[in-house]
Amino acid sequence: MTRPLSPDTVTEKNKQESNDILSFVDILLEGETLHFVNNTANINFFDLDGNPALYQGLKMTREKKEDSMDMEIQTVSAGLDNVDRGMSSYIASKDFRDRRIVIRAVFRNLISDSANAWKVFDGFIDKPNISEKDFTIELVPRLGHGTLNSKVGVKQQLPCRLPFAGTKCAYGKDPAVLKDEKTAQTVDSGTIAYVVDGARVEADDYWNFGFVTFASDTLTFALRNVTRMINDFVPTENKIHFKIALPCAPQSGDTYKIERGCDLTLDSCQNKFNNDVNYGGIHTLPATMVRT
């Protein structure tokens, strides 16, 4: 039976910008329960019975492996960091196969109350494997219990880590189209905060997070080879606004190169570049909260 989310959790998830979410993992071995959290440091939280417990901070990963026809996740692979050989000592003396594992999520700022956690997975471990750096397992959900397809109502994501228009970012695409670099462009007028170029009639925000680089032989000596990131492009005014002011105002006839850039968010990757298939960050945590 699904239990309601705590009032504090509902309030947090409805914020426009909520805190990040921690995953608390309980592995029930024979005579012992292991506690882990996806964090760089250990965190005091509450075990499955609501008792205070220390959760060991480890890097965690999980990967979708297979979908059913109703899109529920049937199996996933997951991993825990083994850099300090901490998991190796457990593997040597404990049998992990077919042991129950429960994963709960909670907003980082709400860990003072166990009621603020919701269950995102309840199942069993299969195919445990240990290496020098990772402990990997397959997760199989218990029949009728929550699986890792449960969702949260706020978009949580990690930004892309790929160089814009690089080999991986532009996989299957033309890097020149993504970056859209135009050289030998001419300034009509400007100030230290922006330039005006009547040739700039691209879509609103088209050049945002891109760069302007003045030519090495541009008329204004102090602007030669100067580069500035673009803060905002306003086509109705033909203006390119800069994040940092220029050392001096440009004059009519100054020449420059302009190139597109990316703010490394999923929104830009999807809607600005139509390239979300190559997104190098974490798209989202799930979109509807479920407690079982």
Side-chain angles (χ1 to χ4, degrees), residues 72-74 119-122 140-142 145-151 292:
E72 287 191 348
I73 295 175
Q74 299 301 302
K119 189 185 296 183
V120 296
F121 184 84
D122 190 346
V140 182
R142 297 171 68 196
H145 288 262
T147 60
L148 286 170
N149 70 333
S150 61
K151 301 178 178 179
T292 57

Side-chain angles (χ1 to χ4, degrees), residues 16 18 152-157 266-267 270 283-286:
Q16 185 173 2
S18 60
V152 333
V154 274
K155 180 179 285 188
Q156 303 276 337
Q157 62 179 255
L266 176 61
D267 180 67
Q270 285 180 320
H283 278 218
T284 60
L285 290 176

Side-chain angles (χ1 to χ4, degrees), residues 45-97:
F45 190 55
F46 302 90
D47 64 17
L48 297 175
D49 296 319
N51 300 313
L54 178 65
Y55 282 76
Q56 182 178 352
L58 286 178
K59 182 182 71 176
M60 299 181 188
T61 59
R62 73 184 191 208
E63 180 181 48
K64 186 174 179 179
K65 295 290 285 186
E66 179 183 336
D67 287 341
S68 65
M69 292 186 67
D70 61 4
M71 300 306 292
E72 287 191 348
I73 295 175
Q74 299 301 302
T75 64
V76 296
S77 63
L80 296 173
D81 194 354
N82 189 43
V83 172
D84 64 357
R85 307 296 177 90
M87 291 304 301
S88 296
S89 60
Y90 288 121
I91 284 286
S93 58
K94 302 287 184 180
D95 183 9
F96 279 76
R97 191 179 301 275

Side-chain angles (χ1 to χ4, degrees), residues 1-6 117-119 144-147 150-151 288-292:
M1 180 178 177
T2 300
R3 294 180 295 173
L5 298 167
S6 72
W118 67 94
K119 189 185 296 183
H145 288 262
T147 60
S150 61
K151 301 178 178 179
T288 303
M289 284 189 168
V290 175
R291 287 184 75 181
T292 57

Side-chain angles (χ1 to χ4, degrees), residues 202-230:
E202 295 84 4
D204 187 36
D205 297 337
Y206 183 87
W207 299 104
N208 287 18
F209 300 99
F211 297 89
V212 163
T213 301
F214 287 89
S216 59
D217 59 352
T218 193
L219 296 177
T220 305
F221 184 84
L223 292 179
R224 292 181 177 179
N225 296 314
V226 170
T227 298
R228 288 291 184 269
M229 178 179 281
I230 300 168

Side-chain angles (χ1 to χ4, degrees), residues 151-191:
K151 301 178 178 179
V152 333
V154 274
K155 180 179 285 188
Q156 303 276 337
Q157 62 179 255
L158 292 178
C160 182
R161 297 168 294 171
L162 304 179
F164 176 59
T167 303
K168 293 182 179 179
C169 171
Y171 181 78
K173 295 182 175 290
D174 183 350
V177 172
L178 282 178
K179 202 162 190 177
D180 191 9
E181 181 178 292
K182 298 183 184 301
T183 59
Q185 305 300 293
T186 304
V187 173
D188 292 333
S189 63
T191 70

